[in-house]
Amino acid sequence: MRMETGLCVLHLFGTPRKSVDRDAVLQAVRAAEADDCQVVTAAILGHKADLAFMALGRDVTALRRFQTALNAAGISIADSYLSITEVSEYAKGMPEAALQARLYPELPPDDKPAFCFYPMSKRREGHANWYATPFDERRDMMMEHGSSGRKFAGKLVQLITGSTGLDSHEWGVTLFAINLEVIKDVVYTLRYDKGSALYGEFGDFYVGYLAYVDDLV
């Protein structure tokens, strides 16, 4: 099964079992890449997981084979997130090259080793219902959000992927930054924007640094 537009994005967070087969893990990554998938690997800080595998590809069955191969190689998956690349309804008028970069990103970016992933949704409460707010107001809030994010240009690359109907939240946010301080600062800054302060709901954060898979295992 293949995506018609954009890429399917699978985040897997896991821990090696005592029986982990290092060569089999490496082979799982190589096989996914041979199936035309991008695989980004990271070491995770904290107790939620030890490793992160971010796999992107048009062939959904290739991502499932990758997930199965990691488990068989001795990686216990503690958490996961499924989403797809998309172009926001608020992005009309952007240059075609920028739109294509959102649909078909090339990861990881150079010189940005800090890694962060978190899911988020927009609130649906009586006093703050994003989906009952007129489009023009929502667009203005997203423009404010974008303006705040551009203050970190050169220090950060962000990928927002859609997950409505696919996982627990509505979007997945993956950040690559020059260091962890930049990740903290950008998340702190954006939470003061109206779109986040009134409407943002966030899941667990997974934070670490990019590392080659052979170093991880």
Side-chain angles (χ1 to χ4, degrees):
M1 182 172 65
R2 293 180 62 85
M3 299 282 295
E4 292 186 9
T5 304
L7 304 176
C8 188
V9 184
L10 179 63
H11 287 78
L12 299 171
F13 302 97
T15 298
R17 298 191 291 271
K18 290 183 179 180
S19 61
V20 64
D21 183 336
R22 179 177 183 273
D23 290 338
V25 174
L26 300 180
Q27 179 56 37
V29 173
R30 287 194 290 264
E33 292 173 339
D35 279 336
D36 201 26
C37 297
Q38 298 179 60
V39 180
V40 178
T41 54
I44 299 299
L45 299 166
H47 71 282
K48 292 191 288 292
D50 292 313
L51 322 171
F53 298 87
M54 178 185 182
L56 308 87
R58 300 192 70 164
D59 186 349
V60 176
T61 58
L63 298 180
R64 186 62 178 85
R65 285 194 296 270
F66 178 56
Q67 176 181 325
T68 300
L70 287 180
N71 182 65
I75 302 294
S76 293
I77 304 301
D79 199 2
S80 65
Y81 204 82
L82 181 65
S83 57
I84 59 176
T85 60
E86 64 176 8
V87 172
S88 167
E89 61 184 321
Y90 312 106
K92 292 180 180 179
M94 288 183 61
E96 183 62 24
L99 299 179
Q100 289 298 305
R102 293 190 179 193
L103 289 173
Y104 304 103
E106 294 291 334
L107 299 175
D110 294 331
D111 302 321
K112 293 177 178 61
F115 172 86
C116 174
F117 172 80
Y118 62 92
M120 66 167 294
S121 295
K122 293 298 188 183
R123 191 166 291 135
R124 292 181 178 86
E125 298 179 4
H127 68 287
N129 188 328
W130 178 261
Y131 296 98
T133 303
F135 175 81
D136 288 348
E137 293 182 30
R138 287 185 278 124
R139 181 188 58 201
D140 290 345
M141 285 187 277
M142 294 307 297
M143 293 291 288
E144 178 192 28
H145 212 53
S147 178
S148 295
R150 284 191 291 274
K151 296 175 183 177
F152 297 88
K155 298 180 179 180
L156 181 92
V157 170
Q158 172 183 264
L159 176 66
I160 300 178
T161 47
S163 53
T164 301
L166 303 178
D167 218 308
S168 59
H169 288 68
E170 295 169 330
W171 294 277
V173 181
T174 307
L175 305 177
F176 301 91
I178 60 173
N179 56 41
L180 296 183
E181 184 179 10
V182 170
I183 289 176
K184 180 186 74 69
D185 289 347
V186 70
V187 174
Y188 181 81
T189 299
L190 293 179
R191 286 193 177 188
Y192 280 95
D193 292 344
K194 186 177 180 181
S196 288
L198 290 183
Y199 300 98
E201 295 183 337
F202 302 86
D204 287 338
F205 280 63
Y206 287 89
V207 178
Y209 55 91
L210 299 181
Y212 292 113
V213 65
D214 49 347
D215 294 331
L216 289 176
V217 293

